[in-house]
Amino acid sequence: MVKKYVIIEPSELSSLDFNKLATTSSDTVRYNMARDKCIVSFRGDTPSELSGKTIYTQAQAFAIVDNVSNGWYINE
């Protein structure tokens, strides 16, 4: 199954069921440099907590988060 990505605010992490996500916990999410956005991933159907959010493909998500000019950093 193809992995899909969603950018959310960190305050939304507590409402997520990580059993439905490919992201394993709030400790493993990737944050932007301002730490006001983070990205989570899932496979299959969109979890209800992420309903209505913009869903990105891997290529789209990586183009955003691997670009410092977008306010994200590159994981070392």
Side-chain angles (χ1 to χ4, degrees), residues 55-73:
I55 298 173
Y56 299 96
T57 65
Q58 181 175 4
Q60 292 169 323
F62 285 17
I64 294 168
V65 301
D66 286 344
N67 186 338
V68 173
S69 66
N70 285 335
W72 293 80
Y73 64 92

Side-chain angles (χ1 to χ4, degrees), residues 4-74:
K4 301 169 196 166
Y5 300 82
V6 177
I7 295 173
I8 61 172
E9 295 180 9
S11 61
E12 297 175 83
L13 289 171
S14 62
S15 69
L16 297 179
D17 179 353
F18 285 94
N19 293 315
K20 298 178 184 176
L21 301 176
T23 304
T24 57
S25 75
S26 60
D27 295 328
T28 62
V29 298
R30 186 167 175 185
Y31 291 90
N32 68 346
M33 291 187 290
R35 295 190 65 85
D36 62 356
K37 295 180 187 171
C38 57
I39 190 164
V40 295
S41 61
F42 65 94
R43 290 185 172 90
D45 295 333
T46 304
S48 59
E49 303 91 341
L50 299 175
S51 180
K53 304 281 186 189
T54 302
I55 298 173
Y56 299 96
T57 65
Q58 181 175 4
Q60 292 169 323
F62 285 17
I64 294 168
V65 301
D66 286 344
N67 186 338
V68 173
S69 66
N70 285 335
W72 293 80
Y73 64 92
I74 299 172

